[in-house]
């Protein structure tokens, strides 16, 4: 009779974690790693569902999931990377020991691009809380270089990781401002938003570093996105308040292109608040930050996820398989379940 550990349904696996039966949970994962492909895929999908409802509970067994990042089945690798994203978003310190494995997936040019994208996203969440763990020269190079060559979905996560790293430790990227500004005209709105936000974060601490590369930033004042224009205006508001010898453009052009003036529109409010922040810089209280934490690291961190939701939600669709909200111009497959749109 076979008494070896067997893969458990998600609810029973969760029960083991709740009972601190970590050895049994790890033994089950080790068995799954040696099972057939269909069993591995089914088990990992169930585990990911459990991680979404109880991400903190997976902390003791995360290292046992690392082998699945190099599984021969790309769906298994993708599900594992997504699980690590879920864990890193809520328990970044629990994923910090897995940074080398995630960085290896990011660096593998032959890896499925969605796996690379999710690995970059997980690294970004860790970087937001533990920048020293992520910001090796090799990882930084992979994040920056990938902005030139990768698929749009990967570039989006690379830019997000760079933004989070800039928010956590501005000095890490102050010498790489030229690399960020070089991609401010990316076709992906989220790439432009994340990179502009990273530049604002750097400008909070090192305005001189940003003042040397303002041409591309000034072009974003005409961006089609209210949020990108708003961040560009915020950056110039910071430069105007600094001692940098830089000519600040007329940021009011960022709002002159709007035919509507809908005060209830979130994007327009975001933009107008930051244009006001920039134009007020010449006043008597020019050293003050704007209302709502505009021009501060804390203010950016508080709002950036909210802004991303606003960018991705309007005019979107729902995945017919899992109900995930999808942007109108998003990828052909659902990033959550992998099903076709």
């Amino acid at each position: 009779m076979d008494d070896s550990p067997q893969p458990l349904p998600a609810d029973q696996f969760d029960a083991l974690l709740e009972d601190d039966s970590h050895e049994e949970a790890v033994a089950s994962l080790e068995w799954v790693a040696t099972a057939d492909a269909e069993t591995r895929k089914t088990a990992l999908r169930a585990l990911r569902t459990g991680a979404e409802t109880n991400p903190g509970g997976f902390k003791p067994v995360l290292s046992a999931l690392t082998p699945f990042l190099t599984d021969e089945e790309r769906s298994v690798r993708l599900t594992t990377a997504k699980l690590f994203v879920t864990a890193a978003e809520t328990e970044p310190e629990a994923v910090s020991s897995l940074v080398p494995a995630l960085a290896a997936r990011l660096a593998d040019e032959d890896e499925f691009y969605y796996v690379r994208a999710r690995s970059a996203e997980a690294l970004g969440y860790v970087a937001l809380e533990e920048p020293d763990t992520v910001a090796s020269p090799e990882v930084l190079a992979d994040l920056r270089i990938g902005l030139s060559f990768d698929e749009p979905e990967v570039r989006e996560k690379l830019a997000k990781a760079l933004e989070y790293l800039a928010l956590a430790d501005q000095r890490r990227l102050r010498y790489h401002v030229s690399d960020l500004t070089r991609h401010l005209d990316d076709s992906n709105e989220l790439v432009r938003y994340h990179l502009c936000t990273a530049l604002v974060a750097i400008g909070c601490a090192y305005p001189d570093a940003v003042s040397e590369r303002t041409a591309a930033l000034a072009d974003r004042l005409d961006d089609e996105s209210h949020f990108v224009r708003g961040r560009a205006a915020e950056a110039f508001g910071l430069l105007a308040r600094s001692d940098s010898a830089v000519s600040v453009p007329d940021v009011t052009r960022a709002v002159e292109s709007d035919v509507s003036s809908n005060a209830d529109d979130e994007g327009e409010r975001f933009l107008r608040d930051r244009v006001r922040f920039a134009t007020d810089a010449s006043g008597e209280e020019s050293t003050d930050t704007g209302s709502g934490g505009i021009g501060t690291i804390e203010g950016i961190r508080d709002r950036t996820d909210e802004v991303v939701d606003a960018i991705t939600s309007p005019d979107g669709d729902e995945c017919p398989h899992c109900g995930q909200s999808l942007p109108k111009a998003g990828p052909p497959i659902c990033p959550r379940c992998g099903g076709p749109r």
Side-chain angles (χ1 to χ4, degrees):
M1 179 177 180
D2 184 7
D3 59 355
S4 60
Q6 299 293 309
L8 296 172
D11 57 346
Q12 293 184 37
F13 191 88
D14 291 344
L16 285 179
L17 296 180
E18 291 175 3
D19 293 339
D20 293 331
S21 300
H22 301 148
E23 290 185 4
E24 291 182 51
V26 169
S28 179
L29 290 176
E30 291 174 346
W31 185 93
V32 170
T34 64
D36 60 84
E38 193 59 38
T39 298
R40 298 198 307 277
K41 287 188 285 187
T42 301
L44 264 293
R45 286 169 182 161
L47 290 174
R48 187 192 170 211
T49 300
E52 289 177 340
T53 57
N54 181 28
F58 275 71
K59 181 177 179 178
V61 298
L62 283 176
S63 60
L65 288 162
T66 306
F68 295 104
L69 271 180
T70 54
D71 193 277
E72 62 184 17
E73 290 287 332
R74 91 178 177 187
S75 61
V76 170
R77 300 195 304 274
L78 179 57
T79 302
T80 306
K82 290 176 180 177
L83 193 158
F84 286 153
V85 169
T86 300
E89 186 173 4
T90 56
E91 299 280 346
E93 72 283 354
V95 184
S96 60
S97 64
L98 309 180
V99 164
L102 291 164
R105 292 300 87 220
L106 172 63
D108 187 350
E109 296 179 357
D110 295 325
E111 179 58 273
F112 180 45
Y113 65 94
Y114 275 119
V115 176
R116 298 183 66 242
R118 292 301 186 180
S119 297
E121 186 174 18
L123 288 169
Y125 282 121
V126 176
L128 190 59
E129 302 300 332
E130 299 187 15
D132 290 343
T133 306
V134 175
S136 69
E138 294 78 14
V139 173
L140 279 178
D142 286 332
L143 292 173
R144 299 192 324 272
I145 294 171
L147 291 173
S148 297
F149 303 108
D150 273 310
E151 298 283 346
E153 295 79 13
V154 183
R155 297 200 307 272
E156 176 186 319
K157 302 305 183 186
L158 296 174
K160 180 179 179 180
L162 287 165
E163 175 199 339
Y164 281 7
L165 184 57
L167 286 170
D169 187 352
Q170 296 77 52
R171 65 188 175 88
R172 295 286 182 177
L173 291 174
R174 71 187 188 278
Y175 297 122
H176 302 292
V177 168
S178 61
D179 293 322
L180 305 184
T181 56
R182 192 176 299 125
H183 303 285
L184 287 181
D185 62 349
D186 193 280
S187 60
N188 186 315
E189 179 182 357
L190 281 173
V191 172
R192 302 195 305 276
Y193 171 75
H194 288 310
L195 294 181
C196 277
T197 304
L199 290 169
V200 174
I202 296 168
C204 286
Y206 301 98
D208 287 344
V210 178
S211 68
E212 297 174 358
R213 299 282 178 174
T214 57
L217 194 58
D219 289 342
R220 291 309 97 207
L221 293 172
D222 300 313
D223 198 276
E224 63 184 21
S225 167
H226 289 87
F227 296 106
V228 174
R229 272 186 276 163
R231 285 301 189 210
E234 189 172 1
F236 282 114
L238 286 169
L239 293 180
R241 286 168 166 77
S242 73
D243 296 328
S244 301
V246 59
S247 176
V248 177
D250 179 12
V251 299
T252 59
R253 80 186 204 219
V255 293
E256 289 174 352
S257 59
D258 287 330
V259 293
S260 66
S261 294
N262 183 2
D264 293 328
D265 182 87
E266 183 178 358
E268 289 195 20
R269 290 199 307 272
F270 182 92
L271 169 60
R272 291 179 183 279
D273 286 346
R274 281 151 184 79
V275 169
R276 189 177 302 112
F277 168 72
T279 55
D280 287 350
S282 59
E284 294 180 0
E285 297 181 354
S286 61
T287 58
D288 291 348
T289 57
S291 61
I294 296 174
T296 68
I297 296 298
E298 294 77 11
I300 300 170
R301 288 185 67 149
D302 287 344
R303 289 293 309 275
T304 191
D305 288 344
E306 175 187 332
V307 170
V308 170
D309 288 341
I311 291 173
T312 56
S313 296
D315 301 320
D317 304 311
E318 285 190 356
C319 173
H321 308 285
C322 69
Q324 171 78 5
S325 177
L326 302 172
K328 188 173 183 179
I333 67 172
C334 173
R336 179 182 183 186
C337 70
R341 295 183 63 166

